[in-house]
Amino acid sequence: MRALRLLEWKSEPLLTEVDEPTPGPGQVVVRIGGAGACHSDLHLMDEFEAGVVPWNPPFTLGHENAGWVHTLGAGVTGLEVGQPVAVYGPWGCGVCARCRLGIDPYCENPAGAPVPGGGGGLGLDGGMAEYELVPDARHIVPLPDGLDPVRAAPLTDAGLTPYHAIRRSWPKLPPGSWAVVIGVGGLGHVGVQILKATTAARVIAVDTRPEALRLAEEYGADLTLLSGAETADEIRRITGRGADVVLDFVGADPTLRLGAAVARTVGDLTIVGIAGGTLPVSYFSVPYEVSIQTTYWGSRPELIEVLDLGARGLVQPKVTTFSLDEANTAYQRLREGSLEGRAVVVP
């Protein structure tokens, strides 16, 4: 079969021929119907080198995957060949306290995982191929009626990651509250939808690109602001006190400073983007009792909830599809910033 593989760090992936996978006991092979192209893949291609993460190339890209059950390994029950499914992307050890709750991104025994701190498309072969081998059937989530694999694929990361970040702040988002979304890209535009679908907060979207703000308006943002020197003052004027929850989907120095400047006392500032910025914190540098945290992906139970929102039409990432032959074009458009929403490769 054909697969888009990263053969070494700091290189462009190549479309190559590899053997079709065969499942062992407890494993599942999925015929891929959609594989999301994620901005984090660009970090693998452009920036990572040996030692940054506890795994190395070569591997097939694609960690946002959905399709149909193709073959079942011995002992797998509860799934049927041909059944539409999503693949839960982070693969932990399966036995630690966190993994037993379905919170594989925070696995406390990474040495026992199929690949430490990674998964399909992140150290092991992912879904930018005709088929993907999933090493444990517990990572397979059946799709609800009304949701096809192309629309489901980006929900496994671009939906799940902002959903987890927002869900943990639900108590701070009652009627009368304000949420600020910084960066309306592949994850941010989904974050706007999740806020509108699951909370009563009013949403302010901030970006440097007018087209991104138009996308935010399309998906329900109450207000949009072009990022600039006066943005923090404008948000404080609009809210009267600051934002109860700030979600930074960029994570650069300027966006982190903006988030800290507009957070309300006892608010949340959640850093989702991995642009590499830093935020010095001291006693007087942020409002009192502001909680600052990073998050990584989300839990398997949360993925089930996200897929339900997708099936009901409440959360629908803007999708542009590409063939497997066009996968590198999708990544190039991501690199250029010329792609709205999410790219999904359809093998």
Side-chain angles (χ1 to χ4, degrees), residues 7 11 35 37 41 73 76-78 96 131 141 174-176 209 213 228 257 316 322 341:
L7 301 181
S11 69
D41 292 336
V76 176
T77 60
C96 74
Y131 302 97
V141 178
R209 303 161 297 157
L213 297 181
R257 288 195 298 269
Q316 296 182 307
F322 297 82

Side-chain angles (χ1 to χ4, degrees), residues 157-177:
D157 182 5
L160 178 57
T161 297
Y163 182 78
H164 173 75
I166 292 165
R167 195 182 196 281
R168 67 186 307 282
S169 292
W170 276 354
K172 297 183 181 182
L173 294 168
S177 62

